[in-house]
């Protein structure tokens, strides 16, 4: 492939490499056929933005952004739903570039707020988001609705 380096919109052909990154992020196996089906449906949804950081033809990072109108804000709000950088490329500024791309897309959409939920165990990620200017001023409560819990 080419020597392109930087953030761009994700393409269908990136899905395998993105699946590897998300699997590493979640530290569990993912149903690949369901992943690919959801990836394609979301990739064409105007409320969802997928970004990759490509270097030397390889996807080294991925971010997803979901934009929605919320009643309690009476405005558009954007949420980064996934942001992951390949383990061997962390610390190189890739995450910051993906974050900036997501932030710009949120601003372009007219969003008044950018949010991210981050697992309590991901302490380095908490510092990363704070370094981007985010504040930890919300709680997120979760309940499994599957029988597997």
């Amino acid at each position: 492939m080419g020597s392109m380096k930087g953030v761009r919109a994700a393409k269908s052909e990136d899905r395998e490499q993105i699946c590897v990154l998300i699997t590493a992020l979640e530290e569990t196996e993912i149903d690949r056929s369901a992943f690919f089906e959801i990836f394609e449906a979301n990739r064409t949804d105007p409320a969802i933005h997928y970004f990759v950081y490509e270097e030397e033809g390889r996807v080294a990072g991925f971010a997803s952004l979901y934009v929605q109108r919320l009643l309690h804000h009476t405005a558009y709000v954007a949420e980064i739903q996934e942001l992951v950088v390949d383990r061997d490329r962390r610390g190189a500024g890739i995450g910051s570039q993906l974050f900036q791309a997501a932030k710009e897309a949120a601003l372009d959409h007219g969003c008044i707020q950018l949010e991210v939920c981050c697992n309590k165990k991901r302490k380095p990620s908490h510092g990363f988001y704070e370094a981007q200017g985010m504040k930890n001023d919300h709680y997120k409560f979760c309940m499994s609705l599957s029988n597997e819990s």
Side-chain angles (χ1 to χ4, degrees):
M1 291 195 155
S3 60
M4 195 259 181
K5 187 175 193 172
V7 177
R8 62 166 172 78
K11 300 179 204 166
S12 185
E13 51 268 25
D14 298 323
R15 67 188 192 168
E16 294 275 351
Q17 293 179 77
I18 293 168
C19 186
V20 169
L21 288 171
I22 296 294
T23 300
L25 175 69
E26 292 299 314
E27 299 174 341
T28 188
E29 283 304 309
I30 290 176
D31 178 334
R32 290 170 60 86
S33 63
F35 179 94
F36 296 148
E37 179 185 327
I38 293 166
F39 176 81
E40 287 305 326
N42 288 356
R43 200 176 59 76
T44 57
D45 184 329
I48 298 175
H49 302 268
Y50 284 167
F51 301 99
V52 295
Y53 183 92
E54 179 186 341
E55 56 185 9
E56 305 303 324
R58 183 174 154 261
V59 173
F62 171 75
S64 66
L65 183 79
Y66 178 60
V67 175
Q68 60 185 326
R69 291 174 79 186
L70 296 178
L71 289 172
H72 65 281
H73 284 293
T74 62
Y76 283 102
V77 173
E79 180 183 0
I80 294 173
Q81 294 187 316
E82 293 110 357
L83 194 157
V84 59
V85 174
D86 196 354
R87 194 171 303 285
D88 65 0
R89 296 297 295 127
R90 291 182 186 159
I94 294 169
S96 295
Q97 290 183 56
L98 287 164
F99 182 91
Q100 191 60 36
K103 180 180 170 186
E104 288 172 14
L107 287 167
D108 288 348
H109 229 289
C111 294
I112 62 157
Q113 185 165 294
L114 179 60
E115 303 175 345
V116 65
C117 290
C118 189
N119 193 300
K120 287 180 181 179
K121 71 183 179 182
R122 294 191 180 115
K123 301 254 186 251
S125 297
H126 305 166
F128 167 80
Y129 289 117
E130 288 170 346
Q132 306 308 309
M134 300 193 90
K135 293 179 179 34
N136 183 7
D137 59 6
H138 283 70
Y139 288 106
K140 179 178 183 177
F141 297 91
C142 301
M143 174 189 287
S144 176
L145 298 177
S146 70
N147 293 330
E148 300 169 7
S149 35

